Amino acid sequence: MRKIFLLFSLVVISLLGVSCSEDRAFRGCADLTIDKTAYHMPIANFVFADGVTDVLGTNVAQTLSVKVKGNEVKQYTIGYGKDFEEMSAAHPFGEGFATQADLEFVSTIDAREEFVAVCGVLTMSEYGEDSIAATFTGKMLRKDHALSLIGGNLTPEAVQNSLRTFSGQFVAVPYKMKKY
């Protein structure tokens, strides 16, 4: 099974091996840097439903998931504040505490590479029927630390040394179901 997945991954990556700028209008793309490690996802799609824009960028080995409440060209707060100080002031995050945007990164290769953004800013610079574009920056935690923080088991100060800086961008095109 692992060999089949590896073979499938190699085929998909080789088919999608052109740069983001060459073909972004047809399949989108996303880039993410966590600390000094850069990830490129040559496919990025979006769906707008029930007032939420869902963006999914992937390169088969890693996936970036972004959820934004809305579909406007504007700046959105990621997680629990624009920066660590704002996030700390909002803690504990009560049951009704709502975020404007959520961002997660997952690696299918390394389970230790599963991160959730806890604070930051996403700037939507383009929002149309054919594509959307945004840049983002902030701080993230490994998912297990983030869940403990959100669950009230940890304070922002307790995880401050575990925070990782992230930045990136995406250009996403609408997800289209293939008809067979």
Side-chain angles (χ1 to χ4, degrees), residues 12 28 33 42 49 61 65 79 95 107 116 119 123 127 130 140 142 144 162 169:
V12 170
T33 301
S65 172
E95 199 172 300
S107 172
V116 175
C119 62
T123 303
Y127 203 108
D130 296 335
M140 57 185 10
R142 277 195 7 235
D144 56 342
S162 299
Q169 63 178 354

Side-chain angles (χ1 to χ4, degrees), residues 43-59:
I43 300 174
N45 297 118
F46 79 95
V47 173
F48 180 72
D50 300 324
V52 176
T53 300
D54 283 308
V55 178
L56 190 68
T58 188
N59 64 10

Side-chain angles (χ1 to χ4, degrees), residues 124-179:
M124 191 73 70
S125 58
E126 175 188 330
Y127 203 108
E129 289 181 15
D130 296 335
S131 69
I132 63 175
T135 58
F136 45 86
T137 61
K139 302 285 185 185
M140 57 185 10
L141 288 169
R142 277 195 7 235
K143 191 169 187 173
D144 56 342
H145 284 127
L147 293 174
S148 293
L149 176 68
I150 295 164
N153 298 326
L154 293 174
T155 64
E157 292 73 25
V159 296
Q160 188 170 8
N161 291 334
S162 299
L163 289 171
R164 314 279 290 286
T165 300
F166 73 89
S167 63
Q169 63 178 354
F170 64 77
V171 174
V173 296
Y175 177 76
K176 294 183 176 128
M177 290 286 286
K178 291 187 179 189
K179 296 179 183 177

Side-chain angles (χ1 to χ4, degrees), residues 16-20 23-29 42-45 171 173:
L16 302 172
V18 294
S19 74
C20 182
D23 206 20
R24 75 180 209 170
F26 298 110
R27 61 168 205 262
C29 65
I43 300 174
N45 297 118
V171 174
V173 296

Side-chain angles (χ1 to χ4, degrees), residues 48-74:
F48 180 72
D50 300 324
V52 176
T53 300
D54 283 308
V55 178
L56 190 68
T58 188
N59 64 10
V60 180
Q62 290 99 12
T63 300
L64 173 68
S65 172
V66 181
K67 293 185 185 309
V68 180
K69 290 184 181 171
N71 62 345
E72 298 176 46
V73 172
K74 69 176 202 173

